[in-house]
Amino acid sequence: MANRRLHIVLTALLAILILATPAIAQNTKEYAILPFAYNGPQKFSYFPKAFQASLNNDLEWLGHVEPTSKSLSDIPAPNSTAESLKVLQGLGIDYLVTGTIAILDKTANLEMKVLSSDGKEWRQKGQMEIDEITPWLDAQSRAVMGDVFNRPGYSTTQTSKEEDNLKRSAAPTSSAFIMANNGDYTTDALNPQFRYEGGTENIGRWRSQTLR
């Protein structure tokens, strides 16, 4: 009897999973990453393919946003937003990632763009040393995850707001001190930026705007 109940429960769970799988698949969005257009020395010409592979892994959000399985080998790099949108619609995907990289001596200039199916475009530019390219790409991947894919905990906008709020909370809302605007303070006092009443003869006392 117990075995029969267990069998029924397992069968029901399996049926739920089978029914839920198509719904999950329908909600999963797809992105495609094209090799970045490259301009630079031959020895770094492998960068576009390397970027493509790296970003394919870094941008994956399993069950939410995943790389497309469609072939991208015959798709040329688009030269405009209109061409990018045409490629995106032709592939039937939700996001298209493109970019450019130019290397001169030891300096790299990069641009990364993400176009969504609704026509919105995210882009970021950067100039860095060659050995700083990987950290830059990692940072942009996190930005795309948060600002484009809306993955919780990755939004750069949210991070900026939190940093601003932290700075505001750390600063006094209504300062009770008169900031020193002349040389009437000493560096051996509590804070050299405050003007102490009485100068150096009354160490430990400062002028307050609210207290006597």
Side-chain angles (χ1 to χ4, degrees), residues 18 59 75-76 92 124 133 144 160 170 205:
I18 292 174
L59 294 178
I75 300 177
Q124 187 64 264
I133 290 177
V144 171
S160 298
R205 298 179 60 189

Side-chain angles (χ1 to χ4, degrees), residues 17-85:
L17 289 174
I18 292 174
L19 292 174
T21 300
I24 295 174
Q26 289 177 0
N27 292 329
T28 301
K29 295 183 177 182
E30 288 186 324
Y31 63 82
I33 301 173
L34 299 182
F36 284 24
Y38 176 72
N39 183 17
Q42 180 64 30
K43 62 180 180 180
F44 296 122
S45 60
Y46 66 91
F47 275 177
K49 289 288 186 180
F51 291 177
Q52 184 183 32
S54 177
L55 290 171
N56 255 325
N57 292 328
D58 293 343
L59 294 178
E60 184 174 9
W61 181 13
L62 195 62
H64 297 271
V65 188
E66 300 179 359
T68 183
S69 58
K70 298 174 182 177
S71 175
L72 306 175
S73 57
D74 296 330
I75 300 177
N79 295 318
S80 65
T81 300
E83 290 185 10
S84 295
L85 188 59

Side-chain angles (χ1 to χ4, degrees), residues 42-135:
Q42 180 64 30
K43 62 180 180 180
F44 296 122
S45 60
Y46 66 91
F47 275 177
K49 289 288 186 180
F51 291 177
Q52 184 183 32
S54 177
L55 290 171
N56 255 325
N57 292 328
D58 293 343
L59 294 178
E60 184 174 9
W61 181 13
L62 195 62
H64 297 271
V65 188
E66 300 179 359
T68 183
S69 58
K70 298 174 182 177
S71 175
L72 306 175
S73 57
D74 296 330
I75 300 177
N79 295 318
S80 65
T81 300
E83 290 185 10
S84 295
L85 188 59
K86 186 176 180 180
V87 172
L88 183 149
Q89 293 172 343
L91 291 171
I93 58 176
D94 301 280
Y95 304 101
L96 181 68
V97 182
T98 60
T100 61
I101 174 172
I103 295 180
L104 181 63
D105 294 330
K106 296 181 179 180
T107 302
N109 289 277
L110 283 90
E111 181 179 27
M112 179 173 166
K113 295 179 287 186
V114 182
L115 181 67
S116 61
S117 56
D118 58 4
K120 294 180 180 179
E121 187 177 58
W122 175 98
R123 64 171 62 199
Q124 187 64 264
K125 292 182 178 181
Q127 185 180 78
M128 68 225 70
E129 298 293 325
I130 292 177
D131 57 359
E132 296 174 350
I133 290 177
T134 298

